[in-house]
Amino acid sequence: ELERTPDPMVENALIERLNYDKKVNVRLAAAEALIKYSNSEEVKTVFVNALDTEKNPTIQIALMQFLVEIKDLRARAPMEKLLEESETPTYLKEILSQGLQELY
């Protein structure tokens, strides 16, 4: 169930964890918690920016799936960048390609 307006303190704490926590599972949990605030422009922007900086494929997939689901076209540039990087795993490139097809 999607919530329209997140509590600003909760939202900021989750964004902080998503962007800066050293533990992958904490960042992933923060991303999953933020997904329910899909109406928040700030959350959408944070996801687009995180997709550009996040190095963990599991979190990249969660970010990308959310952005594709809400049809945020700003996701195309970081997704295309990941697709072109040689160190991006093949399975992730396949998921990126499918996601990009949905955004075009």
Side-chain angles (χ1 to χ4, degrees):
E1 184 177 311
L2 300 178
E3 294 183 26
R4 297 236 177 258
T5 51
D7 177 295
M9 285 183 17
V10 172
E11 183 180 22
N12 289 335
L14 289 169
I15 289 168
E16 188 80 11
R17 294 282 65 80
L18 173 63
N19 287 330
Y20 303 112
D21 204 282
K22 289 178 175 28
K23 294 187 174 127
V24 170
N25 60 341
V26 172
R27 293 198 311 277
L28 185 59
E32 289 171 349
L34 285 165
I35 285 171
K36 69 182 174 187
Y37 304 131
S38 64
N39 291 330
S40 164
E41 282 307 313
E42 184 179 9
V43 169
K44 293 175 190 178
T45 300
V46 164
F47 271 57
V48 170
N49 293 338
L51 189 56
D52 209 27
T53 57
E54 178 61 54
K55 298 298 177 210
N56 181 278
T58 304
I59 299 171
Q60 289 169 331
I61 291 169
L63 296 169
M64 184 206 50
Q65 286 175 332
F66 170 77
L67 292 166
V68 168
E69 187 177 313
I70 63 166
K71 304 284 189 239
D72 194 320
L73 300 183
R74 296 173 298 171
R76 293 192 303 210
M79 288 170 68
E80 287 168 349
K81 190 176 113 184
L82 276 171
L83 199 54
E84 292 166 12
E85 290 177 359
S86 58
E87 64 270 15
T88 301
T90 305
Y91 72 91
L92 182 55
K93 287 186 177 191
E94 290 169 7
I95 294 169
L96 285 162
S97 294
Q98 289 172 343
L100 280 165
Q101 284 176 355
E102 292 182 46
L103 290 177
Y104 278 99

